[in-house]
């Protein structure tokens, strides 16, 4: 049984948002069209408290997009984004949500970032997504959303670790950094994942 996981399709990641992914809005009609082909659709939502440790503004003197250490891990410092209950944290208005059965939130711990929909970046705390999918009989996951090189890719790598057959739908994602995206797509392939196009689904 297969599931579509829609990752972080939130206003702050769209053009005009706080942490815009170039062309991020272009994936929304594709994701809407894909949903009817899946017996289960779930979503994730980046959901940070104000003053989250991944925000550059939480590190006086540090600039956005520079790297520091958080919870002992390398951490890119982002603009403030997806603050809990802010309009930027809401799912994109054009995203069809009728078929989304559950939404898994992440990034709520100030002290550690959470790119994957399954675990925080230190792999300490689970969101429950893997158990939920397994409980629903899912064996294959298809990934779409934002950003391709960050949360979508980290979710793909964790899905493989959790034993799911994993397909990243390339035209249903956009990346922040194109070089990073190429590298991490190769890592996903090396670990047994597939990079596919939406036209092959249905
Ligand atoms: C994301 C950077 C920071 C994402 C979330 O959803 O890809 N990227 N937080
Ligand atoms: Zn975030």
């Amino acid at each position: 049984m297969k599931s579509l996981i829609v990752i972080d399709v939130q206003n702050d990641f769209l053009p005009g948002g706080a942490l815009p992914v170039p062309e991020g809005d272009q994936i929304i009609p594709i994701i809407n069209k894909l949903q009817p082909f899946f017996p289960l659709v779930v979503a994730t939502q980046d959901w940070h408290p104000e003053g989250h440790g991944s925000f550059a503004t939480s590190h006086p003197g540090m600039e956005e997009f520079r790297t520091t250490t958080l919870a002992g891990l390398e951490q890119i410092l982002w603009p403030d984004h997806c603050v809990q209950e802010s309009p930027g944290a809401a799912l994109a208005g054009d995203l069809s949500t009728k078929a989304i059965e559950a939404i898994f939130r992440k990034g709520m711990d100030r002290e550690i970032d959470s790119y994957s929909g399954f675990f925080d970046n230190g792999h300490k705390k689970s969101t429950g997504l893997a158990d939920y999918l397994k409980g629903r009989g899912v064996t294959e996951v298809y990934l779409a959303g934002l950003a391709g090189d960050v949360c979508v890719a980290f979710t793909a790598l964790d899905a493989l670790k959790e034993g799911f057959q994993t397909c990243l739908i390339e035209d249903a994602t956009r990346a922040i950094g194109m070089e990073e995206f190429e590298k991490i797509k190769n890592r996903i392939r090396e670990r047994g994942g597939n990079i596919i196009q939406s036209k092959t689904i249905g």
Side-chain angles (χ1 to χ4, degrees):
M1 150 72 162
K2 55 185 192 170
S3 176
L4 177 67
I5 309 179
V6 180
I7 296 152
D8 298 3
V9 181
Q10 293 167 263
N11 292 324
D12 272 342
F13 296 124
L14 302 181
L19 177 41
V21 181
E23 302 182 350
D25 53 330
Q26 294 186 18
I27 68 172
I28 296 172
I30 298 174
I31 294 173
N32 290 346
K33 228 159 78 185
L34 282 171
Q35 293 189 43
F37 296 109
F38 290 87
L40 177 64
V41 183
V42 301
T44 66
Q45 202 172 13
D46 210 32
W47 195 249
H48 297 306
E50 281 179 35
H52 190 262
S54 73
F55 297 170
T57 53
S58 303
H59 305 264
M62 299 279 289
E63 283 171 49
E64 292 175 354
F65 302 105
R66 301 294 278 269
T67 298
T68 187
T69 303
L70 187 66
L73 301 167
E74 195 175 279
Q75 174 71 46
I76 299 173
L77 292 175
W78 305 106
D80 289 23
H81 65 279
C82 297
V83 172
Q84 294 163 2
E85 299 186 320
S86 70
L91 294 180
D94 290 339
L95 179 70
S96 168
T97 60
K98 286 198 290 280
I100 296 176
E101 292 197 30
I103 299 171
F104 290 80
R105 287 176 168 165
K106 60 191 181 64
M108 299 168 78
D109 182 340
R110 266 194 183 69
E111 310 301 324
I112 190 160
D113 212 355
S114 236
Y115 291 158
S116 157
F118 291 98
F119 287 95
D120 64 74
N121 290 2
H123 255 253
K124 297 229 160 64
K125 205 178 114 198
S126 161
T127 61
L129 175 58
D131 287 337
Y132 176 86
L133 294 173
K134 288 173 188 174
R136 292 290 302 268
V138 172
T139 50
E140 282 174 67
V141 296
Y142 289 73
L143 307 179
L146 301 169
D149 54 329
V150 188
C151 290
V152 178
F154 275 61
T155 302
L157 292 168
D158 274 349
L160 288 163
K161 264 187 211 151
E162 289 295 321
F164 295 104
Q165 269 192 60
T166 302
C167 294
L168 188 160
I169 312 167
E170 195 171 26
D171 55 322
T173 184
R174 288 292 186 279
I176 296 172
M178 287 320 296
E179 261 177 57
E180 286 75 10
F181 191 42
E182 290 307 316
K183 272 189 226 158
I184 207 153
K185 273 190 292 186
N186 281 332
R187 201 175 317 155
I188 292 165
R189 287 191 192 99
E190 279 161 22
R191 298 187 189 176
N194 301 301
I195 312 295
I196 66 162
Q197 307 303 317
S198 64
K199 65 173 190 286
T200 65
I201 295 168

